[in-house]
Amino acid sequence: MKLWFLEIVLILSVFFLLLKTSEVLPLTWDEGDSFARVDSILKWSTLSFQTKFSEESILQHWPHTICREGHPAGYSIVIALGKSLADHFRRISCLQPVLSEKVSYRFGPLLLFSFALGAVFYRIQKIFDKQTGFFCVLSILCIPRLFAICQIATCDSVLISSWLLAWAFFPFDRFLIRKDIFCGFWLGLTFSAKFSGWIAVIPFAIYILGRSVKKFASGESFSNEKTCIQKENCPEIHRISQKKQEPFYLWGKNFSFHYLPISLWGHFLLICITALGVFILFNPPIWRHPLSGIQTFFQLNITRSDFNIPVYFFGQLYSPSRPLPWFNTIVWTGITVPAGFLILAFWSLCYYLKPFCCIFSPKFRNRVQYNENRLVSEKEQCFFLILLNFVVLIIVRAFPGLPVHDGVRLFIPAFAFLGILIGIGASLVWPKKSCQKIETSSSVSKSLNFMLIRRTMQLKLKKAKPVIQTKFGDVRSWGFLLTRQLLIVTIFIISLSHLYYYSPQWLSFYNLIIGGPQGAQKAGFETTYYWDALDKDVLQWINQNAKSTEFDSSKKVLFGSFSSQTLYYYRKFGLIQPDCQTISSAHQRISGEYSFYVLQRRASGLTLIDLLLMRNAKPVYIKTIGQKRNAFSNLDNLIFRTYRNIRILEIYSFDDFQKAVYLSKRLEQEKTKN
């Protein structure tokens, strides 16, 4: 009961934190399109039953799966359900300031992500301990780019949450039919969130394959131990060894058949069939023709050349015709995750992968006296499944021919599992208050390992040198434990400070390995890409300076390379007061009725007009990373000067924009003549 209460408190705490920060986070590029699809689905839900389920009505109100770019409909269902629930809460007067119309669209993804973190805590504390569970949740929240993406009402947020839930409820320790169906539901939602969610089946398949490989015979594993220990001297060990239930060995077949009424692959097949059924259920456009609909869905997502945007990587422009190098995911992970977190993740890898290096290295095997019949603990099984989910997406995303736009955003679910690895590493470094409990097991090897460890510790204590004792205990050990605690606290404080100072431009975060955003810009990376620079400071300036007067009511604002649907919702929510339009929707009919031109400084999205404007004109407003802060101004200038001069958005007068348009036409004419 205490555990469930702790989980509920954790879920609610994370949810209200995300509600608060989501109000600050601006609308991003894809959110306007997501909102439009959700409004269409909500309109479809109000139709009569006979009209609602006609093929024409479904295709009209569900632009998913087999329409446009082929995004599945699962993420829109989550957003629509959250929007309906938030609208009911908004009727309560005290909740209206918290639940704005913008946040109501993000309500569903925020709630699902909070529930996913609660499931992560439950699974981790069940296998490791509560301390590790808290570290894992905190690590996921402290990765700036992941923290931002999970609050945006698009397919990426739902994909991350559903993938975490599929892992958290995967029954890797005890396979039962009801657990298979429950895991299959979340895996089906992962399939329905985004096409890349289909990759989630690969790590689970690899795990099942690893448990099915036949390497050790069932009766040979205890032979060495039985010969070196007399039964009469160790009656407890002899009693345990006589049990019929067999343990699970490294890459062995000796999993417990008592818990497996069907084979491992049978359970995995049931999970996949359930996931496929959920995918069909969550995608109404393929209800009438599921087989041909799934085929069309794959064709649209595999051949998406019209929806790819170029991106800069180390100063080079990469596009679908020029694939990114194979190591792009490794580089982006290394420069967009806090540096201290990378150290903790590396520490957890070293701790859990060290015994398994003996399989491939005979020298290392002899050095550490590795026992090839060693049991794989439940913690190691859990760790390997987490690592598989992280590595598979990193590897698959590195293949050539895949979309290159937005860089990290296309493999951001890997950061969620990296956060779990970071939390495990932090728990390993953080000193325990007391010795860990010895887990009861039905194996002889674990009992022997405990006996050997106890004997080794006794020998070490006899040979230990005398140390200075105080009322706090051993000075040497006390200082070492305090150093480890300070290290973990410092790493998390620095990571939390990134969330504070980068707010709300968390998608512009780069770590100290590359020198922050300033170093990333010099190295040839893009410091902004999703129009999250349009925060309250910029909107306040636009509303004040482009405000129509009684003498001039024709002032408009022109946006370059932005989503017209997102601008529509900015106007609908009252966030932008003057009339606004994108340069693509203006259809070259640009006249003097505009007052300003807003430009996002994304290198791959700049046109010739933008380049000429930046070179020859002076902006009337400059937006840098973070918001204006009155407190700690001296500290800001001292520590975080690495990004204070990084421009992510600029506003120019419309007269300067027209001069740039005229100059670009002249350059194009001269180019055609030559």
Side-chain angles (χ1 to χ4, degrees), residues 376-605:
V376 176
S377 66
E378 191 178 20
K379 293 181 181 179
E380 289 172 330
Q381 295 180 50
C382 179
F383 180 85
F384 293 143
L385 191 56
I386 298 167
L387 185 61
L388 283 173
N389 280 276
F390 169 71
V391 171
V392 164
L393 191 55
I394 293 290
I395 294 176
V396 172
R397 180 61 187 84
F399 282 113
L402 297 177
V404 299
H405 59 272
D406 297 346
V408 173
R409 188 178 69 88
L410 296 185
F411 65 98
I412 195 67
F415 282 19
F417 293 98
L418 179 62
I420 301 177
L421 297 179
I422 293 166
I424 295 174
S427 181
L428 291 173
V429 177
W430 187 272
K432 301 294 188 295
K433 293 182 179 179
S434 59
C435 296
Q436 294 181 352
K437 296 180 180 179
I438 303 299
E439 298 179 359
T440 58
S441 174
S442 60
S443 66
V444 178
S445 297
K446 282 193 174 182
S447 302
L448 290 173
N449 289 339
F450 169 65
M451 293 169 61
L452 291 174
I453 292 172
R454 185 174 62 182
R455 179 59 179 166
T456 304
M457 292 300 296
Q458 290 175 354
L459 293 175
K460 287 184 177 181
L461 289 174
K462 290 181 179 179
K463 297 180 181 180
K465 297 180 180 179
V467 294
I468 302 174
Q469 296 287 337
T470 65
K471 64 179 181 179
F472 298 104
D474 186 349
V475 172
R476 185 174 60 185
S477 62
W478 177 75
F480 181 65
L481 297 181
L482 182 61
T483 303
R484 291 165 61 181
Q485 289 179 335
L486 289 176
L487 176 63
I488 298 300
V489 171
T490 302
I491 289 175
F492 277 96
I493 287 178
I494 293 175
S495 301
L496 287 171
S497 68
H498 292 320
L499 296 181
Y500 174 77
Y501 285 102
Y502 277 80
S503 173
Q505 283 80 43
W506 299 295
L507 295 176
S508 300
F509 173 79
Y510 287 93
N511 61 25
L512 295 178
I513 294 177
I514 199 171
Q518 188 173 10
Q521 191 177 57
K522 292 179 181 178
F525 290 91
E526 295 175 339
T527 54
T528 185
Y529 66 90
Y530 225 29
W531 278 93
D532 59 329
L534 207 62
D535 59 10
K536 65 177 184 180
D537 293 338
V538 181
L539 296 177
Q540 184 179 4
W541 190 93
I542 291 175
N543 293 332
Q544 290 179 353
N545 292 273
K547 187 177 181 180
S548 301
T549 63
E550 56 181 346
F551 303 102
D552 185 6
S553 60
S554 62
K555 284 190 175 183
K556 295 182 181 180
V557 179
L558 185 66
F559 285 80
S561 65
F562 195 29
S563 169
S564 57
Q565 290 178 316
T566 304
L567 281 181
Y568 165 77
Y569 282 97
Y570 264 114
R571 292 270 296 160
K572 180 182 178 181
F573 300 158
L575 300 175
I576 297 180
Q577 297 174 2
D579 192 8
C580 55
Q581 204 169 16
T582 62
I583 193 172
S584 59
S585 60
H587 302 296
Q588 303 299 325
R589 293 177 296 179
I590 303 173
S591 60
E593 62 183 3
Y594 294 94
S595 56
F596 299 106
Y597 176 71
V598 183
L599 169 67
Q600 179 188 221
R601 292 195 55 138
R602 178 177 183 174
S604 60

Side-chain angles (χ1 to χ4, degrees), residues 253-294:
K253 66 176 184 179
N254 299 327
F255 44 80
S256 174
F257 288 96
H258 175 70
Y259 297 133
L260 297 173
I262 56 179
S263 66
L264 279 175
W265 288 107
H267 283 279
F268 182 67
L269 182 62
L270 179 59
I271 292 173
C272 293
I273 292 175
T274 305
L276 186 61
V278 172
F279 175 78
I280 296 174
L281 178 65
F282 283 172
N283 288 271
I286 64 173
W287 281 352
R288 293 180 179 271
H289 309 285
L291 295 180
S292 61
I294 293 176

